[in-house]
Amino acid sequence: MTGFGVDPDALRGAVNKLKGIRQQAMDLRRGASRVQPGELTADDPYTAEARRKIQERATGENGSLTMVAKALADKLTEKIDAYEATLREYSAADDHATVGHRNVDRQA
């Protein structure tokens, strides 16, 4: 027999693990959006600039922890959707094969 086989139970398990990891990434993103350098308490221009830079690094648009966590969650969502589509296709093919097998048995 040629082609690939699908272990639906293993794939469902992998999907569940990916969903857990995605949830962790989303939690990390939410946490990163609240990062504040509380230890920088001095009220001078240098410390204010340091606070701003740390906040920007955690929550800014480019390369921040927030954006990296979002990108990870988005990529995981893509994979989860693809694996779930594979499971649906496999289930539909399995259903068709079962119906075809019953029709052959009835004709025999």
Side-chain angles (χ1 to χ4, degrees), residues 35-50:
V35 167
Q36 292 185 352
E39 68 279 356
L40 298 178
T41 57
D43 193 18
D44 62 87
Y46 298 108
T47 305
E49 180 66 11

Side-chain angles (χ1 to χ4, degrees), residues 22-90:
R22 179 180 61 185
Q23 184 60 51
Q24 290 175 348
M26 292 181 340
D27 292 345
L28 178 63
R29 181 178 179 206
R30 277 190 292 280
S33 68
R34 294 185 300 268
V35 167
Q36 292 185 352
E39 68 279 356
L40 298 178
T41 57
D43 193 18
D44 62 87
Y46 298 108
T47 305
E49 180 66 11
R51 270 195 304 274
R52 189 186 70 71
K53 292 281 189 183
I54 291 170
Q55 185 79 29
E56 182 180 303
R57 187 67 179 143
T59 61
E61 291 295 317
N62 294 321
S64 70
L65 180 56
T66 303
M67 290 291 102
V68 170
K70 180 189 180 314
L72 177 59
D74 291 347
K75 191 60 151 174
L76 288 165
T77 297
E78 287 177 26
K79 290 293 182 187
I80 289 166
D81 290 347
Y83 291 156
E84 287 177 337
T86 299
L87 283 168
R88 285 190 300 275
E89 289 175 21
Y90 179 80

